[in-house]
Amino acid sequence: MENFSGKAIFRGIAIGTIMFYTKNQQQVRRTKIDNPEAEISRFQEAKGKASRELGQLYDKALKEVGEDNASIFQVHSMMLEDDDFNDAVIDKIKNQHVNAEYAVAKTGDALSEMFANMEDEYFRARATDMKDISERVIAKLAGEEGEVHLKEPSIIVAEDLAPSETIQLDKNMLLAFVTKLGSSNSHTAILARSMNMPALIGVKIDKGWNGKLGIVDGYNGELIIEPDENTLCKYKKMQKNELEKRELLKELKGKDTVTRSGRRVRLYANIGKPADLTGVMENDAEGIGLFRSEFLYLGSNKFPTEEEQFEAYRKVAETMAGKKVIIRTLDIGADKQVDYFNLGHEENPAMGYRAIRICLSQQEIFKTQLRALLRASAFGNISIMYPMIISVGEVVQIKEIVKGVMEELEAEGIDFNKNIEQGIMIETPAAVLISDELAGEVDFFSIGTNDLTQYMLAVDRQNPKLESIIDTHHPAVLLAIKMVIENAHKKGIWAGICGELGADISLTETFLSFGIDELSVSPTFVLPVRKAIRDCE
């Protein structure tokens, strides 16, 4: 029996046969060709096949893991059609008289290296995407389909897995996956969480494990190879208990989210698109604490119209039938880039031109969204939330713009909730320190712990080299949360948490002691958090 440590991406226990997955990388050789036009046709045909395959992967991901997670395949499709990529490949074939495989490989390597050397974390992440795209086209040139077939329920072990490889795996046969590379914020890790699949990264892997029995412990970040009888029995019992707990949690549906002493806490869900409402209903969330509106912008090649936005917001409000729906205004920028915004390169996009900063400087975009939100407020219990606030001046400016939009709608005879609740996200140290002043300007606070942790600790949460030092339980982060809640209550407004930390049940009792009023978590965490709250005094 051998034990290996890694970083857990998703909690859970998996027991099964290990399948060591090796990428079928092509040995590309340079070949001189006599007919460049025929070779260019080969390239175009292979590219067409790759494009169709990406479309199929998008459709599969859309059904299995939702639109947000499927969007990576749209990104790959766009990169495949990129002029720089295509022109460079064709230029090599024409001018150097080389085979298409070689031209694609050299172009992919060059562009991947260019991305990898950029300071911007978002663009560095595109280096892996570029390699994935070029390898896909080369595989098509070689006549390969690139499917990953599992003959029995297996734990996949690999150096790394591209998103396309992850989504192609048969969920009915996949027990867990373990990789040497990757980060907790990689596309593949996000897909693993969406698939509710135990996963580890940062494990020192060995090809010799292929075919052996393995255990993935997603709670303690351990991989156990060829466990002894006692260890195997222990984990089988843990796995059985895990399944029983899931069944018991279902009994909490319809129950109040209230502590033993009778204190009620609002338990809402975070969603990224209207299609996520199914998960909200299935897991019995009491409302929606964070509806990320940027899905309308990320899934389009142009600015969404007022009518398109209105229909999306109205659908959610009506489906929730009077339950709270908090919609966050546009949060584009940083790791969420959209070509038609023409944001340009930034040295530090996480602290750059993003979110409310775009809205306040490009007010027509903001006003279109506000009109849609206000119109939809006539069809349900909608609240509006503004991200990345750092000053009282920003809030005052926002309120003036909202007032103007309300006056326009009133003049046009359009119904809306004139007393709509407006709040802000607290996700910067500046907002924490002036939260006493900000509380006098808004109706509620929602603490975005993902960015707040990043900014409090000066640690890039998307940098895999810093995985070991990004401490969400850091005393500074917890003190900031406590301070925000206290300042909210002094001014008579409520405060909640909508970041991932809200689902950390090891902190539930701490948050209750701080006086938290609301927690908003991913739909799958609603029932575990409800249980944790009901177990507290």
Side-chain angles (χ1 to χ4, degrees):
M1 183 173 83
E2 292 180 284
N3 287 51
F4 298 87
S5 295
K7 182 177 177 63
I9 294 303
F10 190 82
R11 290 181 174 184
I13 303 294
I15 303 171
T17 304
I18 289 173
M19 182 192 133
F20 196 96
Y21 171 70
T22 305
K23 290 177 186 288
N24 188 18
Q25 292 180 324
Q26 296 291 317
Q27 291 296 316
V28 177
R29 296 181 180 177
R30 177 174 178 147
T31 305
K32 187 174 175 60
I33 52 103
D34 297 321
N35 189 342
E37 291 306 318
E39 203 65 14
I40 290 168
S41 294
R42 279 188 71 228
F43 165 62
Q44 298 288 12
E45 184 181 351
K47 197 184 80 165
K49 288 179 181 177
S51 181
R52 288 190 290 277
E53 187 173 79
L54 285 167
Q56 291 165 2
L57 287 171
Y58 173 78
D59 292 339
K60 187 174 189 290
L62 195 63
K63 292 174 186 174
E64 293 183 3
V65 294
E67 190 170 352
D68 281 0
N69 298 307
S71 64
I72 180 59
F73 301 111
Q74 288 183 317
V75 172
H76 280 205
S77 294
M78 288 189 285
M79 291 177 79
L80 186 63
E81 298 301 328
D82 182 73
D83 288 341
D84 289 339
F85 174 70
N86 286 278
D87 291 349
V89 171
I90 292 169
D91 180 70
K92 283 180 175 61
I93 295 172
K94 275 185 176 179
N95 297 321
Q96 298 177 28
H97 285 245
V98 294
N99 54 317
E101 290 90 340
Y102 181 81
V104 170
K106 293 299 286 183
T107 301
D109 287 346
L111 290 173
S112 181
E113 185 178 357
M114 180 189 75
F115 282 125
N117 290 327
M118 289 183 175
E119 292 186 17
D120 186 324
E121 180 64 27
Y122 174 83
F123 288 109
R124 282 204 304 274
R126 301 286 75 76
T128 304
D129 294 329
M130 194 69 247
K131 290 288 286 183
D132 196 17
I133 291 160
S134 59
E135 285 172 8
R136 184 180 301 281
V137 176
I138 292 168
K140 297 305 162 199
L141 285 162
E144 293 185 358
E145 293 306 311
E147 290 283 341
V148 184
H149 295 290
L150 299 177
K151 296 179 182 177
E152 62 176 315
S154 305
I155 295 168
I156 294 291
V157 175
E159 280 273 327
D160 199 3
L161 285 168
S164 55
E165 292 164 332
T166 308
I167 203 64
Q168 283 182 76
L169 296 167
D170 184 349
K171 283 179 71 176
N172 296 319
M173 291 290 188
L174 178 62
L175 300 174
F177 67 75
V178 177
T179 64
K180 177 182 178 182
L181 305 175
S183 76
S184 56
N185 289 294
S186 68
H187 291 301
T188 303
I190 292 166
L191 284 172
R193 286 193 285 266
S194 300
M195 295 161 76
N196 296 332
M197 199 69 62
L200 304 179
I201 59 171
V203 178
K204 292 181 180 178
I205 61 173
D206 186 334
K207 290 182 181 179
W209 298 343
N210 193 53
K212 293 182 177 180
L213 182 66
I215 296 174
V216 174
D217 180 347
Y219 294 97
N220 299 304
E222 279 193 288
L223 172 66
I224 302 166
I225 306 297
E226 295 192 311
D228 57 36
E229 196 60 38
N230 286 338
T231 303
L232 186 59
C233 287
K234 170 189 157 187
Y235 275 98
K236 280 184 175 179
K237 187 175 180 181
M238 286 174 66
Q239 195 175 49
K240 184 183 176 185
N241 289 340
E242 190 179 66
L243 291 171
E244 288 173 352
K245 281 179 184 177
R246 286 180 192 170
E247 289 303 310
L248 283 171
L249 284 174
K250 291 178 183 177
E251 295 179 10
L252 290 174
K253 287 185 177 181
K255 299 284 180 70
D256 291 335
T257 307
V258 60
T259 65
R260 288 175 179 173
S261 61
R263 184 181 157 208
R264 182 178 290 276
V265 179
R266 304 175 200 174
L267 184 55
Y268 297 160
N270 299 333
I271 66 169
K273 57 195 176 302
D276 293 339
L277 287 169
T278 303
V280 174
M281 300 302 184
E282 285 177 354
N283 291 281
D284 195 36
E286 297 165 13
I288 294 170
L290 170 62
F291 179 16
R292 304 177 183 93
S293 66
E294 52 270 15
F295 82 95
L296 288 159
Y297 301 82
L298 291 168
S300 176
N301 56 11
K302 60 178 179 57
F303 290 105
T305 65
E306 178 184 325
E307 208 60 34
E308 288 170 339
Q309 295 189 60
F310 163 69
E311 288 298 332
Y313 306 146
R314 181 177 63 83
K315 178 182 178 181
V316 174
E318 287 183 333
T319 303
M320 292 306 290
K323 292 181 178 178
K324 176 76 72 183
V325 177
I326 301 174
I327 302 177
R328 182 179 70 187
T329 57
L330 174 64
D331 191 7
I332 291 293
D335 60 333
K336 297 188 284 287
Q337 297 287 322
V338 180
D339 288 344
Y340 59 85
F341 271 75
N342 297 314
L343 298 181
H345 172 73
E346 291 184 299
E347 293 298 325
N348 194 343
M351 297 186 184
Y353 185 55
R354 58 176 293 199
I356 202 65
R357 297 166 186 179
I358 294 174
C359 291
L360 292 179
S361 63
Q362 300 188 53
Q363 291 187 17
E364 287 311 307
I365 297 173
F366 193 30
K367 287 177 180 177
T368 297
Q369 182 172 34
L370 289 172
R371 282 181 62 93
L373 286 166
L374 288 168
R375 285 173 59 196
S377 71
F379 296 85
N381 186 9
I382 286 178
S383 298
I384 306 176
M385 180 162 68
Y386 309 104
M388 279 297 289
I389 297 298
I390 63 168
S391 71
V392 172
E394 286 173 330
V395 178
V396 171
Q397 190 179 358
I398 290 166
K399 288 164 74 174
E400 281 300 311
I401 295 169
V402 172
K403 182 183 175 186
V405 172
M406 284 182 169
E407 289 171 352
E408 287 177 8
L409 292 174
E410 205 159 11
E412 294 168 28
I414 297 173
D415 286 338
F416 64 92
N417 178 8
K418 295 178 178 61
N419 299 309
I420 192 167
E421 194 179 46
Q422 298 179 73
I424 59 172
M425 287 189 72
I426 303 290
E427 48 195 332
T428 66
V432 171
L433 293 174
I434 62 166
S435 53
D436 56 338
E437 295 178 60
L438 290 168
E441 299 289 338
V442 296
D443 299 309
F444 66 91
F445 287 155
S446 190
I447 304 167
T449 54
N450 301 356
D451 268 333
L452 180 61
T453 302
Q454 171 175 249
Y455 297 136
M456 289 295 295
L457 304 184
V459 176
D460 180 356
R461 62 188 173 98
Q462 296 198 65
N463 188 335
K465 294 177 183 177
L466 305 177
E467 289 276 349
S468 61
I469 64 170
I470 186 155
D471 179 11
T472 55
H473 290 215
H474 193 288
V477 175
L478 298 180
L479 281 171
I481 293 170
K482 185 172 187 284
M483 179 180 177
V484 169
I485 295 168
E486 288 174 350
N487 283 334
H489 291 170
K490 284 175 188 175
K491 293 292 174 69
I493 68 170
W494 63 267
I497 292 174
C498 65
E500 286 189 18
L501 211 56
D504 187 339
I505 57 175
S506 70
L507 288 173
T508 303
E509 193 168 2
T510 299
F511 293 148
L512 289 171
S513 72
F514 290 170
I516 199 73
D517 301 296
E518 176 253 16
L519 292 169
S520 189
V521 299
S522 295
T524 53
F525 290 112
V526 168
L527 293 177
V529 173
R530 177 171 293 160
K531 183 180 186 307
I533 291 171
R534 289 172 64 91
D535 286 345
C536 290
E537 284 300 326

